[in-house]
Amino acid sequence: MPRPLGELEDAVMTRVWQWNRPVTVREVLEDLQQERSIAYTTVMTVLDNLHQKGWVRREVEGRAYRYTAVSTRAAYSAALMNEAWAQSDNPAAALVAFFGMMSPEQRESLNDAIRIVQRDIPLPAAPREAEGDEGAPRP
């Protein structure tokens, strides 16, 4: 289970996830500086920490690294929800409470997700006929 990202880690990962391509420290820095005052070395340290934690992979390009997300934000969110649910002493009650907090739009997204998962679950195989009975009508 992933530990929740810190506030600055989340801000950095948000950009990596949104851009969905290899990014440099400089690119992340310039975008973050539109919202806050932050140093190049801070962003470099955060990306290095995210690499050490397994959130991003990096490749050398010239004298810099390019960072790429290892998984998606959806996978991260799902892992956090699963961990929180698994920690409950009453998972059914936790789900009922969680669903009760959802907006109508979120509940519709949940219904869509359930339909997708149910559609992708293979149906059980039909029972096989006894040897020699293939094609014979059943009484």
Side-chain angles (χ1 to χ4, degrees), residues 10-74:
D10 186 69
V12 169
M13 281 306 300
T14 294
R15 282 147 180 88
V16 175
W17 281 319
Q18 285 176 342
W19 296 339
N20 196 28
R21 61 173 173 75
V23 301
T24 64
V25 172
R26 174 88 36 217
E27 290 172 311
V28 175
L29 170 72
E30 289 172 358
D31 200 61
L32 283 171
Q33 285 178 331
Q34 294 177 27
E35 300 172 359
R36 63 178 84 191
S37 177
I38 190 167
Y40 180 94
T41 54
T42 301
V43 176
M44 183 175 65
T45 299
V46 170
L47 278 164
D48 185 60
N49 290 343
L50 290 167
H51 175 258
Q52 297 299 320
K53 293 177 180 181
W55 287 106
V56 294
R57 69 178 58 91
R58 65 186 180 192
E59 295 181 18
V60 175
E61 183 176 289
R63 294 178 42 198
Y65 286 114
R66 284 206 173 265
Y67 296 87
T68 308
V70 170
S71 66
T72 64
R73 177 160 216 123

Side-chain angles (χ1 to χ4, degrees), residues 63-139:
R63 294 178 42 198
Y65 286 114
R66 284 206 173 265
Y67 296 87
T68 308
V70 170
S71 66
T72 64
R73 177 160 216 123
Y76 166 71
S77 297
L80 289 177
M81 288 187 291
N82 187 57
E83 178 66 16
W85 184 48
Q87 296 298 317
S88 173
D89 59 348
N90 187 339
L95 282 176
V96 169
F98 179 63
F99 297 157
M101 294 177 198
M102 293 176 133
S103 68
E105 294 81 16
Q106 290 171 321
R107 282 193 295 277
E108 186 58 34
S109 293
L110 174 65
N111 287 330
D112 291 343
I114 289 170
R115 281 191 291 274
I116 290 167
V117 169
Q118 287 175 336
R119 183 185 65 212
D120 292 343
I121 295 173
L123 295 174
R128 296 184 55 96
E129 298 292 329
E131 285 293 320
D133 287 346
E134 289 96 12
R138 286 195 159 268

